[in-house]
Amino acid sequence: MSTPTPPVPQDITALEKHLCIACGAQAEWNAERQRLVCPFCGTEAQYSFKEGTGPIEELDLERALRETDDTQRGWQAETKSVQCRSCKAVMVYEAARVGQNCEFCGSPALVDYAATKAPVTPSSLLPFRTSEAQVRDTVRQWFASKWLAPNAFKRKALVDTLHGLYIPYWTFDARVHCPWRAEAGHYYYEKQGNNRVRRVRWSPASGVIDHFFDDLLIPGTRGIDHGLLAQVEPFPTQDLLSYDTAYLSGHVVEQYQVILVDAAEQGLVRMQAEVRQMCIEAIPGDTYQNLQMSPAWSGRTFKHVLVPVYVMAYMYGRRSYQVVVNASNGRMGGTYPISWVKVALIILAILIVLAIVNR
């Protein structure tokens, strides 16, 4: 059976044009020069980015879960939505843009699409710092290093489908005060005949965990596999910059598909698991039982941010695969086909060696 193609980001926007003063083309964010640069004549755009006024603002989570002000919605630009007839991706572009092809499959067959409710505007972002040329070299090297992949696959090095885009993330902060108690087990040994038997001596134990979670990352995308994103995390949230559409020029932006309520729940589950592990590590002795925790949470805040990635989705045979690159630090994760002929030869070689050794 064939494997379905990985889902692509559903809602994408390209915002505000920043025109080149020399030729009038649209200037784009250049990762190498860290400037808005015209891709045709190389002229740097005269543009003043928003200056940071201190740490990026953290928003009160409980208040946001109750209500979201409509003034916080939208991308600060008039947009229209279109859907690709071929791959079904939904994209949002500035209203004046014409002659657009699908960003993912290149098809010109785009039709009007009813817009969904506008998203909460991102408060901050990480700009692209790794260039497309650097990423293409990294992907080729990655392909070449996969010696279990079919030889034909490695020769192709399919990097022509590489796309740079911004994907949504939620970040969560919280402080926890967690008293705990448990029974701590201490191993000791008794001799029974010729055998040495391990026993456990139980004693009560208790303590308190105080911890601050800073910028716990929860993906807001459904277009990229979260397992692949985990391979390229973390994103350096300490380097976040105030949201400015100039950083987005030349790239597409995915609208979040994981809403704040669901993301907050996922974040709390992860925090609770980490607190439990901290309590377990604090229990003295060799083992434990009957752990009871009473966590009290405070100072829960969040941010909606955009992070840059390069994505490549491709088919090999009848199966689909995806590669993701963190455009902040170049870290890479991906899936690739396995040559079962090579796997079988390796197993055969191991069996031959074992047979020789056991003679």
Side-chain angles (χ1 to χ4, degrees):
M1 296 178 60
S2 62
T3 301
T5 302
V8 297
Q10 292 184 349
D11 288 334
I12 303 157
T13 181
L15 302 176
E16 288 188 16
K17 289 191 175 182
H18 301 274
L19 300 181
C20 172
I21 59 175
C23 68
Q26 181 176 353
E28 299 179 353
W29 175 256
N30 186 290
E32 290 181 312
R33 294 163 69 174
Q34 294 293 290
R35 292 285 189 277
L36 279 172
V37 178
C38 177
F40 297 99
C41 68
T43 302
E44 288 191 8
Q46 302 300 312
Y47 182 84
S48 297
F49 289 89
K50 293 179 181 178
E51 294 293 336
T53 56
I56 302 297
E57 181 183 6
E58 298 282 349
L59 303 177
D60 183 88
L61 178 58
E62 294 190 4
R63 179 179 178 181
L65 291 176
R66 290 194 300 268
E67 58 180 319
T68 300
D69 191 334
D70 284 342
T71 61
Q72 291 183 301
R73 299 185 180 275
W75 295 99
Q76 305 169 8
E78 184 182 0
T79 62
K80 64 179 180 181
S81 299
V82 294
Q83 184 175 43
C84 176
R85 289 184 184 271
S86 177
C87 70
K88 307 305 180 184
V90 177
M91 290 154 281
V92 183
Y93 295 99
E94 70 271 14
R97 191 165 180 174
V98 296
Q100 176 63 46
N101 286 4
C102 176
E103 293 285 347
F104 292 91
C105 70
S107 171
L110 302 180
V111 295
D112 289 340
Y113 186 84
T116 58
K117 191 173 183 181
V120 176
T121 304
S123 62
S124 53
L125 56 77
L126 292 169
F128 276 77
R129 299 195 182 279
T130 304
S131 71
E132 185 172 319
Q134 292 173 308
V135 171
R136 287 181 182 277
D137 288 341
T138 300
V139 173
R140 289 190 184 95
Q141 293 170 10
W142 183 77
F143 280 151
S145 70
K146 303 306 176 185
W147 57 280
L148 279 179
N151 293 333
F153 166 78
K154 291 190 288 187
R155 286 195 300 269
K156 289 182 179 179
L158 304 174
V159 295
D160 56 319
T161 58
L162 194 67
H163 297 286
L165 66 152
Y166 282 96
I167 62 172
Y169 262 82
W170 302 99
T171 76
F172 295 98
D173 289 4
R175 192 174 300 279
V176 64
H177 176 78
C178 183
W180 61 267
R181 60 181 180 178
E183 293 179 60
H186 303 268
Y187 293 150
Y188 68 96
Y189 295 86
E190 292 181 345
K191 190 172 183 180
Q192 291 186 352
N194 295 326
N195 298 321
R196 191 166 176 258
V197 180
R198 188 177 74 183
R199 306 293 187 188
V200 181
R201 181 182 298 108
W202 297 102
S203 62
S206 61
V208 175
I209 294 296
D210 285 296
H211 184 74
F212 177 67
F213 290 91
D214 184 26
D215 283 351
L216 180 76
L217 288 164
I218 299 294
T221 177
R222 295 195 188 279
I224 299 177
D225 181 83
H226 289 192
L228 291 183
L229 287 175
Q231 294 180 33
V232 304
E233 290 176 0
F235 291 89
T237 55
Q238 70 277 6
D239 297 331
L240 283 167
L241 301 176
S242 296
Y243 177 78
D244 190 318
T245 59
Y247 291 113
L248 310 183
S249 186
H251 300 286
V252 292
V253 182
E254 181 188 3
Q255 176 178 312
Y256 61 81
Q257 300 298 306
V258 178
I259 63 174
L260 178 59
V261 174
D262 293 340
E265 182 178 351
Q266 293 178 35
L268 184 58
V269 168
R270 282 181 49 185
M271 290 179 185
Q272 289 173 333
E274 291 188 33
V275 171
R276 178 177 176 83
Q277 186 59 38
M278 293 176 196
C279 292
I280 291 173
E281 293 175 358
I283 300 173
D286 304 301
T287 188
Y288 73 95
Q289 64 182 13
N290 300 327
L291 173 61
Q292 299 178 44
M293 306 184 304
S294 303
W297 301 90
S298 62
R300 295 181 66 191
T301 61
F302 79 100
K303 297 189 298 293
H304 173 211
V305 304
L306 298 176
V307 301
V309 297
Y310 289 96
V311 178
M312 185 178 69
Y314 61 94
M315 297 289 297
Y316 186 84
R318 299 178 63 186
R319 296 192 60 182
S320 56
Y321 302 89
Q322 197 172 47
V323 172
V324 179
V325 180
N326 183 326
S328 292
N329 57 24
R331 184 174 297 174
M332 181 177 171
T335 55
Y336 63 95
I338 300 293
S339 170
W340 296 112
V341 173
K342 292 183 178 181
V343 173
L345 290 174
I346 291 173
I347 294 174
L348 179 60
I350 292 174
L351 293 176
I352 292 174
V353 170
L354 291 175
I356 294 174
V357 170
N358 293 327
R359 277 184 179 178

